[in-house]
Amino acid sequence: MSVELKGKLIQKLPRESGESQKGKWEKQLFIIETDEQYPRKISIAVWNDKLTMLEHVAEGDILKVFANISSREFNSKWYTDVVAWRIERESDEEASPAPETPEEAGFTESPEDDLPF
């Protein structure tokens, strides 16, 4: 099952690594807090080649996380994983920038410019 989650990055936990029958692996968990009436904290994992996605985000950033949710049984207990496959940082570019003044844009009036147009 694939979901889209949006929230503020509140913590990046240390990377973990190990070796299994399938070879070496690396994983890092991060925690986001949703912006709802009753905010929820969600622990999300990134694995192996997806670890680089976390290098470009900082605590406090608002993120949109695309993740897969899956559960598995081990010793009669169930465990659920939320694994990110894409992370987008909410852009500050959504707010429109203030218009430039003519001087900031490189246009200045000079005395030589006495053209009528």
Side-chain angles (χ1 to χ4, degrees):
M1 167 187 234
S2 187
V3 295
E4 180 181 320
L5 304 165
K6 184 177 178 183
K8 180 170 65 170
L9 177 62
I10 59 171
Q11 187 176 12
K12 290 195 286 189
L13 299 174
R15 284 188 180 188
E16 302 172 36
S17 61
E19 196 163 339
S20 68
Q21 294 174 348
K22 297 179 182 179
K24 291 183 180 184
W25 55 267
E26 274 191 295
K27 141 179 145 167
Q28 186 171 7
L29 297 174
F30 64 101
I31 314 299
I32 64 169
E33 184 173 54
T34 62
D35 183 22
E36 301 172 312
Q37 182 178 359
Y38 301 104
R40 296 181 179 145
K41 292 181 178 149
I42 303 169
S43 173
I44 305 169
V46 288
W47 288 85
N48 300 321
D49 61 329
K50 302 290 185 191
L51 287 167
T52 58
M53 293 188 301
L54 283 181
E55 294 171 359
H56 307 290
V57 296
E59 291 180 8
D61 286 348
I62 303 299
L63 305 178
K64 187 185 296 186
V65 180
F66 300 88
N68 291 326
I69 299 176
S70 61
S71 297
R72 67 188 183 297
E73 181 186 10
F74 181 73
N75 290 338
S76 299
K77 291 186 179 182
W78 284 89
Y79 299 89
T80 300
D81 290 322
V82 180
V83 179
W85 51 270
R86 183 174 172 185
I87 299 173
E88 295 177 357
R89 185 173 50 207
E90 188 172 89
S91 174
D92 295 335
E93 297 171 11
E94 290 176 5
S96 58
E100 291 182 331
T101 64
E103 291 80 22
E104 291 171 333
F107 299 111
T108 57
E109 251 185 67
S110 67
E112 301 92 72
D113 289 341
D114 56 351
L115 297 174
F117 49 87

